[in-house]
Short mmCIF file of all heavy atoms in Angstrom, two decimals:
data_model
loop_
_atom_site.label_atom_id
_atom_site.label_comp_id
_atom_site.label_asym_id
_atom_site.label_seq_id
_atom_site.Cartn_x
_atom_site.Cartn_y
_atom_site.Cartn_z
N GLY A 269 -67.36 76.05 57.33
CA GLY A 269 -67.91 77.29 57.83
C GLY A 269 -68.51 77.04 59.21
O GLY A 269 -68.39 75.95 59.78
N GLY A 270 -69.16 78.04 59.74
CA GLY A 270 -69.80 77.86 61.02
C GLY A 270 -69.61 79.03 61.95
O GLY A 270 -69.22 80.12 61.53
N LEU A 271 -69.91 78.78 63.21
CA LEU A 271 -69.85 79.81 64.25
C LEU A 271 -68.66 79.52 65.16
O LEU A 271 -68.48 78.38 65.61
CB LEU A 271 -71.14 79.80 65.06
CG LEU A 271 -71.21 80.70 66.29
CD1 LEU A 271 -71.13 82.16 65.89
CD2 LEU A 271 -72.51 80.41 67.07
N VAL A 272 -67.86 80.56 65.43
CA VAL A 272 -66.70 80.39 66.29
C VAL A 272 -66.54 81.66 67.14
O VAL A 272 -66.94 82.75 66.71
CB VAL A 272 -65.43 80.11 65.45
CG1 VAL A 272 -65.11 81.28 64.55
CG2 VAL A 272 -64.25 79.75 66.31
N GLN A 273 -65.96 81.51 68.31
CA GLN A 273 -65.72 82.67 69.16
C GLN A 273 -64.48 83.41 68.69
O GLN A 273 -63.57 82.83 68.09
CB GLN A 273 -65.54 82.23 70.60
CG GLN A 273 -66.84 81.78 71.27
CD GLN A 273 -66.65 81.57 72.76
OE1 GLN A 273 -65.58 81.23 73.23
NE2 GLN A 273 -67.73 81.78 73.52
N ALA A 274 -64.44 84.69 68.99
CA ALA A 274 -63.26 85.49 68.67
C ALA A 274 -62.02 84.86 69.29
O ALA A 274 -62.04 84.39 70.43
CB ALA A 274 -63.44 86.91 69.18
N GLY A 275 -60.95 84.85 68.49
CA GLY A 275 -59.71 84.22 68.93
C GLY A 275 -59.60 82.77 68.53
O GLY A 275 -58.52 82.17 68.65
N GLY A 276 -60.69 82.21 68.06
CA GLY A 276 -60.70 80.81 67.68
C GLY A 276 -60.20 80.58 66.26
O GLY A 276 -59.76 81.51 65.57
N SER A 277 -60.29 79.33 65.84
CA SER A 277 -59.80 78.93 64.52
C SER A 277 -60.89 78.17 63.77
O SER A 277 -61.78 77.56 64.38
CB SER A 277 -58.57 78.03 64.65
OG SER A 277 -57.50 78.72 65.27
N LEU A 278 -60.75 78.21 62.47
CA LEU A 278 -61.66 77.49 61.60
C LEU A 278 -60.92 77.16 60.31
O LEU A 278 -60.06 77.94 59.86
CB LEU A 278 -62.88 78.37 61.29
CG LEU A 278 -64.20 77.73 60.88
CD1 LEU A 278 -64.70 76.77 61.95
CD2 LEU A 278 -65.23 78.82 60.64
N ARG A 279 -61.23 76.02 59.73
CA ARG A 279 -60.60 75.64 58.47
C ARG A 279 -61.67 75.44 57.41
O ARG A 279 -62.59 74.63 57.61
CB ARG A 279 -59.80 74.35 58.63
CG ARG A 279 -58.98 73.96 57.40
CD ARG A 279 -58.31 72.64 57.62
NE ARG A 279 -57.27 72.35 56.63
CZ ARG A 279 -57.15 71.18 56.03
NH1 ARG A 279 -58.00 70.21 56.31
NH2 ARG A 279 -56.18 70.98 55.15
N LEU A 280 -61.56 76.18 56.33
CA LEU A 280 -62.47 76.03 55.21
C LEU A 280 -61.83 75.14 54.16
O LEU A 280 -60.62 75.19 53.95
CB LEU A 280 -62.81 77.38 54.59
CG LEU A 280 -63.45 78.42 55.50
CD1 LEU A 280 -63.75 79.69 54.71
CD2 LEU A 280 -64.70 77.89 56.16
N SER A 281 -62.64 74.38 53.49
CA SER A 281 -62.15 73.56 52.39
C SER A 281 -63.03 73.78 51.17
O SER A 281 -64.21 74.13 51.29
CB SER A 281 -62.12 72.08 52.77
OG SER A 281 -63.43 71.63 53.08
N CYS A 282 -62.44 73.57 50.03
CA CYS A 282 -63.14 73.72 48.75
C CYS A 282 -62.74 72.55 47.88
O CYS A 282 -61.54 72.40 47.55
CB CYS A 282 -62.78 75.04 48.10
SG CYS A 282 -63.51 75.28 46.45
N ALA A 283 -63.69 71.73 47.52
CA ALA A 283 -63.44 70.57 46.67
C ALA A 283 -63.81 70.89 45.24
O ALA A 283 -64.88 71.46 44.99
CB ALA A 283 -64.24 69.38 47.17
N THR A 284 -62.95 70.51 44.33
CA THR A 284 -63.19 70.81 42.92
C THR A 284 -63.53 69.53 42.15
O THR A 284 -63.20 68.42 42.57
CB THR A 284 -61.95 71.43 42.27
OG1 THR A 284 -60.90 70.46 42.25
CG2 THR A 284 -61.50 72.66 43.03
N SER A 285 -64.17 69.72 41.01
CA SER A 285 -64.42 68.62 40.08
C SER A 285 -64.61 69.22 38.70
O SER A 285 -64.79 70.43 38.55
CB SER A 285 -65.65 67.81 40.50
OG SER A 285 -66.81 68.61 40.51
N GLY A 286 -64.56 68.37 37.69
CA GLY A 286 -64.70 68.86 36.32
C GLY A 286 -63.34 69.08 35.69
O GLY A 286 -62.41 68.33 35.91
N SER A 287 -63.22 70.13 34.92
CA SER A 287 -62.01 70.41 34.14
C SER A 287 -60.95 71.11 34.99
O SER A 287 -60.50 72.22 34.67
CB SER A 287 -62.37 71.26 32.92
OG SER A 287 -63.32 70.61 32.10
N ILE A 288 -60.52 70.45 36.04
CA ILE A 288 -59.59 71.09 36.97
C ILE A 288 -58.20 71.25 36.37
O ILE A 288 -57.40 72.02 36.87
CB ILE A 288 -59.52 70.33 38.30
CG1 ILE A 288 -58.99 68.92 38.10
CG2 ILE A 288 -60.88 70.31 38.98
CD1 ILE A 288 -58.76 68.18 39.42
N PHE A 289 -57.90 70.54 35.28
CA PHE A 289 -56.60 70.68 34.64
C PHE A 289 -56.40 72.09 34.07
O PHE A 289 -55.29 72.52 33.81
CB PHE A 289 -56.44 69.65 33.52
CG PHE A 289 -57.51 69.73 32.47
CD1 PHE A 289 -57.40 70.60 31.39
CD2 PHE A 289 -58.66 68.95 32.57
CE1 PHE A 289 -58.38 70.68 30.43
CE2 PHE A 289 -59.66 69.03 31.61
CZ PHE A 289 -59.52 69.89 30.54
N SER A 290 -57.51 72.81 33.88
CA SER A 290 -57.45 74.17 33.33
C SER A 290 -57.16 75.24 34.38
O SER A 290 -56.88 76.39 34.05
CB SER A 290 -58.76 74.51 32.63
OG SER A 290 -59.03 73.62 31.58
N ILE A 291 -57.25 74.86 35.64
CA ILE A 291 -57.10 75.85 36.73
C ILE A 291 -55.64 76.31 36.83
O ILE A 291 -54.73 75.49 36.83
CB ILE A 291 -57.55 75.25 38.06
CG1 ILE A 291 -59.04 74.93 38.02
CG2 ILE A 291 -57.26 76.23 39.21
CD1 ILE A 291 -59.55 74.18 39.23
N TYR A 292 -55.43 77.62 36.94
CA TYR A 292 -54.10 78.12 37.18
C TYR A 292 -53.98 78.89 38.49
O TYR A 292 -52.87 79.24 38.92
CB TYR A 292 -53.59 78.97 36.02
CG TYR A 292 -54.36 80.24 35.74
CD1 TYR A 292 -54.11 81.40 36.47
CD2 TYR A 292 -55.34 80.28 34.77
CE1 TYR A 292 -54.81 82.56 36.23
CE2 TYR A 292 -56.04 81.44 34.51
CZ TYR A 292 -55.77 82.57 35.24
OH TYR A 292 -56.47 83.72 35.00
N ALA A 293 -55.09 79.18 39.13
CA ALA A 293 -55.06 79.81 40.45
C ALA A 293 -56.41 79.58 41.13
O ALA A 293 -57.44 79.43 40.46
CB ALA A 293 -54.78 81.30 40.34
N MET A 294 -56.37 79.56 42.45
CA MET A 294 -57.60 79.50 43.23
C MET A 294 -57.50 80.44 44.39
O MET A 294 -56.40 80.82 44.82
CB MET A 294 -57.86 78.07 43.72
CG MET A 294 -58.23 77.11 42.60
SD MET A 294 -58.80 75.51 43.20
CE MET A 294 -60.39 75.95 43.91
N GLY A 295 -58.64 80.83 44.89
CA GLY A 295 -58.64 81.77 45.99
C GLY A 295 -59.88 81.71 46.83
O GLY A 295 -60.82 80.97 46.52
N TRP A 296 -59.84 82.47 47.89
CA TRP A 296 -60.99 82.65 48.76
C TRP A 296 -61.33 84.14 48.79
O TRP A 296 -60.45 84.98 48.96
CB TRP A 296 -60.68 82.18 50.18
CG TRP A 296 -60.58 80.69 50.29
CD1 TRP A 296 -59.45 79.94 50.21
CD2 TRP A 296 -61.66 79.79 50.51
NE1 TRP A 296 -59.76 78.61 50.35
CE2 TRP A 296 -61.11 78.49 50.54
CE3 TRP A 296 -63.02 79.93 50.68
CZ2 TRP A 296 -61.88 77.35 50.75
CZ3 TRP A 296 -63.80 78.80 50.89
CH2 TRP A 296 -63.23 77.53 50.91
N TYR A 297 -62.61 84.42 48.63
CA TYR A 297 -63.13 85.76 48.74
C TYR A 297 -64.17 85.76 49.86
O TYR A 297 -64.65 84.71 50.27
CB TYR A 297 -63.79 86.20 47.44
CG TYR A 297 -62.84 86.46 46.30
CD1 TYR A 297 -62.14 85.42 45.69
CD2 TYR A 297 -62.62 87.75 45.83
CE1 TYR A 297 -61.27 85.65 44.65
CE2 TYR A 297 -61.75 88.01 44.78
CZ TYR A 297 -61.07 86.94 44.19
OH TYR A 297 -60.21 87.19 43.16
N ARG A 298 -64.51 86.93 50.33
CA ARG A 298 -65.57 87.04 51.33
C ARG A 298 -66.41 88.28 51.09
O ARG A 298 -65.94 89.26 50.52
CB ARG A 298 -65.00 87.03 52.74
CG ARG A 298 -64.19 88.27 53.10
CD ARG A 298 -63.57 88.08 54.48
NE ARG A 298 -62.79 89.25 54.88
CZ ARG A 298 -62.03 89.29 55.97
NH1 ARG A 298 -61.94 88.23 56.77
NH2 ARG A 298 -61.37 90.39 56.27
N GLN A 299 -67.64 88.18 51.55
CA GLN A 299 -68.55 89.31 51.43
C GLN A 299 -69.36 89.44 52.72
O GLN A 299 -70.11 88.53 53.08
CB GLN A 299 -69.49 89.14 50.24
CG GLN A 299 -70.34 90.37 49.95
CD GLN A 299 -71.01 90.30 48.59
OE1 GLN A 299 -71.12 89.25 47.98
NE2 GLN A 299 -71.45 91.45 48.11
N ALA A 300 -69.16 90.56 53.38
CA ALA A 300 -69.92 90.86 54.59
C ALA A 300 -71.17 91.64 54.20
O ALA A 300 -71.21 92.27 53.14
CB ALA A 300 -69.06 91.66 55.55
N PRO A 301 -72.20 91.62 55.05
CA PRO A 301 -73.43 92.35 54.73
C PRO A 301 -73.16 93.82 54.45
O PRO A 301 -72.45 94.50 55.20
CB PRO A 301 -74.26 92.19 56.00
CG PRO A 301 -73.77 90.92 56.60
CD PRO A 301 -72.31 90.88 56.30
N GLY A 302 -73.67 94.31 53.33
CA GLY A 302 -73.53 95.70 52.97
C GLY A 302 -72.18 96.08 52.40
O GLY A 302 -71.91 97.26 52.15
N LYS A 303 -71.32 95.10 52.19
CA LYS A 303 -69.99 95.37 51.68
C LYS A 303 -69.75 94.62 50.38
O LYS A 303 -70.44 93.66 50.06
CB LYS A 303 -68.93 94.97 52.70
CG LYS A 303 -68.96 95.81 53.96
CD LYS A 303 -67.77 95.50 54.84
CE LYS A 303 -67.74 96.39 56.07
NZ LYS A 303 -66.56 96.11 56.94
N GLN A 304 -68.75 95.08 49.64
CA GLN A 304 -68.39 94.41 48.40
C GLN A 304 -67.60 93.13 48.69
O GLN A 304 -66.95 93.01 49.74
CB GLN A 304 -67.56 95.35 47.52
CG GLN A 304 -68.34 96.51 46.92
CD GLN A 304 -67.52 97.29 45.91
OE1 GLN A 304 -66.30 97.37 46.02
NE2 GLN A 304 -68.18 97.85 44.92
N ARG A 305 -67.66 92.22 47.74
CA ARG A 305 -66.86 91.01 47.86
C ARG A 305 -65.38 91.40 47.74
O ARG A 305 -65.01 92.21 46.89
CB ARG A 305 -67.24 90.02 46.77
CG ARG A 305 -66.63 88.65 46.93
CD ARG A 305 -67.17 87.68 45.90
NE ARG A 305 -68.61 87.46 46.04
CZ ARG A 305 -69.29 86.53 45.36
NH1 ARG A 305 -68.64 85.74 44.50
NH2 ARG A 305 -70.58 86.41 45.52
N GLU A 306 -64.55 90.81 48.60
CA GLU A 306 -63.14 91.14 48.61
C GLU A 306 -62.29 89.88 48.61
O GLU A 306 -62.69 88.83 49.14
CB GLU A 306 -62.79 91.98 49.84
CG GLU A 306 -63.01 91.28 51.17
CD GLU A 306 -62.54 92.09 52.36
OE1 GLU A 306 -61.97 93.19 52.17
OE2 GLU A 306 -62.70 91.61 53.51
N LEU A 307 -61.11 90.02 48.03
CA LEU A 307 -60.16 88.91 48.03
C LEU A 307 -59.60 88.71 49.44
O LEU A 307 -59.19 89.67 50.09
CB LEU A 307 -59.02 89.19 47.07
CG LEU A 307 -57.87 88.17 47.08
CD1 LEU A 307 -58.33 86.84 46.52
CD2 LEU A 307 -56.69 88.71 46.29
N VAL A 308 -59.59 87.48 49.89
CA VAL A 308 -58.98 87.13 51.17
C VAL A 308 -57.59 86.54 50.94
O VAL A 308 -56.62 86.97 51.53
CB VAL A 308 -59.85 86.11 51.93
CG1 VAL A 308 -59.16 85.69 53.22
CG2 VAL A 308 -61.22 86.70 52.21
N ALA A 309 -57.51 85.55 50.08
CA ALA A 309 -56.24 84.89 49.80
C ALA A 309 -56.32 84.22 48.44
O ALA A 309 -57.40 83.80 48.01
CB ALA A 309 -55.91 83.86 50.87
N ARG A 310 -55.17 84.12 47.79
CA ARG A 310 -55.10 83.51 46.46
C ARG A 310 -53.81 82.73 46.35
O ARG A 310 -52.77 83.18 46.85
CB ARG A 310 -55.17 84.59 45.39
CG ARG A 310 -55.08 84.09 43.94
CD ARG A 310 -55.09 85.27 43.00
NE ARG A 310 -55.06 84.90 41.59
CZ ARG A 310 -53.96 84.70 40.88
NH1 ARG A 310 -52.78 84.79 41.47
NH2 ARG A 310 -54.05 84.40 39.60
N ILE A 311 -53.87 81.57 45.69
CA ILE A 311 -52.67 80.77 45.49
C ILE A 311 -52.62 80.32 44.04
O ILE A 311 -53.63 79.97 43.45
CB ILE A 311 -52.66 79.55 46.46
CG1 ILE A 311 -51.32 78.82 46.37
CG2 ILE A 311 -53.83 78.62 46.20
CD1 ILE A 311 -51.11 77.84 47.53
N SER A 312 -51.43 80.39 43.47
CA SER A 312 -51.27 80.08 42.05
C SER A 312 -50.66 78.69 41.86
O SER A 312 -50.29 78.01 42.83
CB SER A 312 -50.39 81.13 41.38
OG SER A 312 -49.09 81.09 41.95
N THR A 313 -50.51 78.31 40.60
CA THR A 313 -49.99 76.99 40.28
C THR A 313 -48.63 76.75 40.90
O THR A 313 -48.34 75.67 41.41
CB THR A 313 -49.89 76.83 38.75
OG1 THR A 313 -51.19 76.97 38.19
CG2 THR A 313 -49.34 75.46 38.38
#
């Protein structure tokens, strides 16, 4: 995460642990102030 100028790039990462063998999909959601959480992207097995 962090601060970036418009037009720039950023890479988010998410590290898992625990019972990851049970996972069948993962995704990224986002929530802006005053707004509902929304799906950004999702990837399946």
Side-chain angles (χ1 to χ4, degrees):
L271 174 65
V272 63
Q273 288 189 330
S277 297
L278 204 58
R279 187 184 193 225
L280 302 181
S281 61
C282 176
T284 66
S285 61
S287 301
I288 62 174
F289 57 87
S290 300
I291 296 173
Y292 63 83
M294 290 190 70
W296 289 94
Y297 289 70
R298 68 185 181 187
Q299 188 167 17
K303 294 188 176 181
Q304 289 189 329
R305 190 174 297 189
E306 63 175 357
L307 174 68
V308 176
R310 179 183 182 271
I311 188 166
S312 63
T313 300

